[in-house]
Amino acid sequence: MATKVFVSFRFSDGEKIKDELVDLFDESMEVINRSEDEDRSQMSEDTIQNYLYEKLKDTSVTIVVLTPEAVSYRKDWSGRYDDWLYDELRYSLEDRKNNRTNGVIAVYTEEAKDKLFTERTHSCSKCQETKICRSLENFDNLSRKNMLNIKLRYKKNPCNDLYDDEHDSYISLVSLEDFKNNYSKYIENAKDKRDRADEFELHKKM
């Protein structure tokens, strides 16, 4: 059975990357790939919700494409989140009758990298090793709230303050090139975490 994948991307700077990913996927993937870039001001919350519920129905994995313009959500004049990307991810994370919580992968471009994390040297007092690791920025995105969120008793990396990228974050942060080189691996990993979602502290809203 094909894996149904929803691709969430910023239309202004992510459409080309979305097309690359869709062209990359083989017949084992059925891709729901249309993101929205239209005026929402006259739409009710129910209208947006029902529309996205229909698009997400029966999908099992959501791919969030983090381009520079997609890292931080857009807000309206009052400071309320008013962004299709936010809605697409929060409804992907909902557990409802027609679609349980999706697995999610955050795929970032090289141009967005500096907004997402820095690399640093970490000396671990537990394993007595010094390692190069990523230190995540607190970017304004629901995907960030679902990284490094494994419940402590399920944490795979035994080192203090260090997390296994693929196991210990519900939403893995993966470079575009790494994802393109082995997309099946990351999609299967997201599906596996979907099946053990209760091991994570899931955040479904900002």
Side-chain angles (χ1 to χ4, degrees):
M1 182 181 294
T3 298
K4 289 190 176 182
V5 176
F6 182 89
V7 181
S8 177
F9 63 98
R10 181 74 76 204
F11 190 85
S12 57
D13 68 345
E15 186 178 24
K16 180 180 176 183
I17 294 164
K18 179 270 297 183
D19 290 340
E20 288 180 17
L21 295 180
V22 173
D23 289 344
L24 186 69
F25 295 153
D26 60 27
E27 63 275 4
S28 68
M29 305 292 169
E30 181 179 343
V31 182
I32 313 299
N33 62 45
R34 181 171 170 243
S35 188
E36 307 304 327
D37 188 44
E38 59 183 277
D39 184 9
R40 299 156 40 112
S41 60
Q42 303 304 313
M43 294 183 185
S44 70
E45 181 71 18
D46 285 345
T47 298
I48 294 169
Q49 182 187 74
N50 291 334
Y51 178 73
L52 288 176
Y53 276 2
E54 184 62 29
K55 290 177 73 68
L56 287 163
K57 186 170 66 176
D58 298 328
T59 63
S60 56
V61 174
T62 295
I63 297 171
V64 177
V65 179
L66 293 177
T67 50
E69 293 188 27
V71 171
S72 295
Y73 291 137
R74 294 171 179 169
K75 299 179 182 179
D76 64 16
W77 62 270
S78 68
R80 183 178 67 90
Y81 290 103
D82 186 26
D83 196 319
W84 281 109
L85 299 185
Y86 174 46
D87 293 334
E88 287 167 355
L89 183 50
R90 69 188 176 107
Y91 292 141
S92 293
L93 291 168
E94 277 190 3
D95 195 356
R96 54 188 181 276
K97 183 177 180 180
N98 291 327
N99 204 92
R100 64 189 175 95
T101 300
N102 273 14
V104 183
I105 310 159
V107 176
Y108 68 89
T109 64
E110 185 67 22
E111 295 79 10
K113 178 179 175 180
D114 290 344
K115 298 174 180 285
L116 304 174
F117 64 87
T118 56
E119 292 186 333
R120 64 184 178 87
T121 301
H122 177 84
S123 297
C124 179
S125 59
K126 188 164 188 175
C127 69
Q128 306 299 317
E129 290 186 15
T130 298
K131 303 175 182 179
I132 301 297
C133 62
R134 298 191 302 192
S135 181
L136 294 175
E137 302 289 351
N138 287 317
F139 51 97
D140 193 18
N141 194 293
L142 187 57
S143 63
R144 173 63 181 90
K145 294 177 73 71
N146 287 286
M147 296 174 185
L148 313 184
N149 63 328
I150 191 90
K151 292 176 182 175
L152 189 59
R153 64 183 176 275
Y154 298 112
K155 185 172 177 289
K156 185 173 184 178
N157 191 318
C159 296
N160 297 329
D161 303 321
L162 293 183
Y163 291 80
D164 176 86
D165 282 342
E166 294 181 18
H167 185 92
D168 295 340
S169 291
Y170 189 75
I171 299 181
S172 292
L173 184 62
V174 182
S175 75
L176 177 61
E177 290 309 309
D178 284 347
F179 183 78
K180 287 165 65 175
N181 287 334
N182 198 353
Y183 65 86
S184 294
K185 166 190 168 183
Y186 294 106
I187 288 174
E188 288 303 315
N189 177 254
K191 289 166 64 178
D192 171 68
K193 287 186 285 191
R194 182 192 193 213
D195 290 337
R196 53 185 182 88
D198 60 347
E199 296 180 11
F200 298 85
E201 298 288 354
L202 287 182
H203 298 272
K204 302 190 178 187
K205 290 185 178 181
M206 293 297 288

